[in-house]
Amino acid sequence: DAKTTQPTSMDCAEGRAANLPCNHSTISGNEYVYWYRQIHSQGPQYIIHGLKNNETNEMASLIITEDRKSSTLILPHATLRDTAVYYCIVRVAGDTGRRALTFGSGTRLQVQP
Amino acid sequence: GAVVSQHPSWVICKSGTSVKIECRSLDFQATTMFWYRQFPKQSLMLMATSNEGSKATYEQGVEKDKFLINHASLTLSTLTVTSAHPEDSSFYICSARSSGRGSDTQYFGPGTRLTVL
């Protein structure tokens, strides 16, 4: 699976959009970009994933650059409950990708009141 | 969305005893489940991959005789920590793989905090 690079930490004001970047310059054509977050003392929570098109769901938007070498997770209106460690993970999906997700250090997002 | 439960959410036990942790996929079937361990201020580390009806695959450095995994059905996997010692104290998290639409997603349980005295 391709390696990802994320900033160690970020701050965001409550009510503003939180934009979390992720670099994955060695991503392969069949690898998806997944985003998870882990709130303190809880299991990771799935947020969103995508292959090459931008994706949006009730939690967030995922913007993937045209060359697929980087992506941005957008939380449109951050709240204090969004304070967590956010993980960007790249991996092959589908039946050929039965391996587990590998977690790096992630980005610690602190939403400030 | 897909829900994965774990039981118990926390457990305290004496050194030398065994502890069983259950992981259930509540609204989907999971042929593959995973067990992770997380120490304070560290990221999740994969312990083993559990496939329904077959033996688990353990990561390097994880003792299969100490961490017994059973995946007897498509919705239940169990992790038994045998002869637990204080160094086994950790946050244990399971996940279940849900597949569809050409991609797959892992959903995680809330975790079990094990404290061995």
Side-chain angles (χ1 to χ4, degrees), chain A residues 7-18:
Chain A
T8 303
S9 64
M10 293 181 64
D11 284 348
C12 174
E14 189 178 18
R16 303 297 293 268

Side-chain angles (χ1 to χ4, degrees), chain B:
Chain B
V3 179
V4 176
S5 70
Q6 271 184 252
H7 179 80
S9 55
W10 60 270
V11 56
I12 301 172
C13 70
K14 293 182 179 180
S15 186
T17 61
S18 294
V19 174
K20 179 185 282 189
I21 302 170
E22 292 187 349
C23 176
R24 294 180 185 274
S25 56
L26 298 185
D27 50 2
F28 66 100
Q29 293 184 329
T31 54
T32 306
M33 290 186 173
F34 306 95
W35 287 95
Y36 293 80
R37 181 167 53 180
Q38 186 175 34
F39 292 106
K41 298 188 185 302
Q42 295 185 21
S43 192
L44 283 79
M45 294 297 295
L46 179 67
M47 298 176 66
T49 299
S50 169
N51 291 301
E52 187 264 340
S54 63
K55 291 183 179 180
T57 304
Y58 292 81
E59 295 300 297
Q60 191 172 6
V62 178
E63 301 174 54
K64 64 178 192 291
D65 294 330
K66 181 170 183 62
F67 298 99
L68 302 180
I69 292 172
N70 184 280
H71 191 164
S73 78
L74 290 173
T75 59
L76 173 64
S77 176
T78 60
L79 167 68
T80 301
V81 183
T82 63
S83 187
H85 288 93
E87 57 266 29
D88 298 323
S89 297
S90 188
F91 192 48
Y92 291 86
I93 308 167
C94 73
S95 71
R97 173 179 173 268
S98 173
S99 61
R101 294 194 301 119
S103 65
D104 67 319
T105 304
Q106 275 183 237
Y107 295 95
F108 288 80
T112 297
R113 186 162 301 283
L114 170 64
T115 302
V116 184
L117 302 176

Side-chain angles (χ1 to χ4, degrees), chain A residues 1-103:
Chain A
D1 295 333
K3 177 182 167 64
T4 63
T5 304
Q6 299 178 253
T8 303
S9 64
M10 293 181 64
D11 284 348
C12 174
E14 189 178 18
R16 303 297 293 268
N19 298 290
L20 292 92
C22 179
N23 284 320
H24 32 78
S25 58
T26 60
I27 191 170
S28 300
N30 63 345
E31 289 182 311
Y32 286 70
V33 180
Y34 287 81
W35 282 85
Y36 284 79
R37 71 181 182 184
Q38 186 177 25
I39 296 170
H40 183 61
S41 295
Q42 297 182 24
Q45 178 187 22
Y46 166 77
I47 300 174
I48 199 167
H49 76 282
L51 183 61
K52 53 185 176 181
N53 297 322
N54 297 337
E55 301 286 344
T56 296
N57 61 21
E58 64 278 3
M59 288 184 68
S61 295
L62 173 60
I63 308 299
I64 303 174
T65 58
E66 193 168 340
D67 63 7
R68 303 186 68 239
K69 293 185 177 181
S70 66
S71 61
T72 301
L73 179 75
I74 301 172
L75 308 178
H77 305 287
T79 70
L80 298 178
R81 287 176 295 183
D82 292 321
T83 292
V85 178
Y86 286 77
Y87 297 97
C88 168
I89 302 169
V90 172
R91 69 181 295 265
V92 176
D95 287 342
T96 59
R98 288 176 181 259
R99 290 174 295 166
L101 293 169
T102 301
F103 288 79

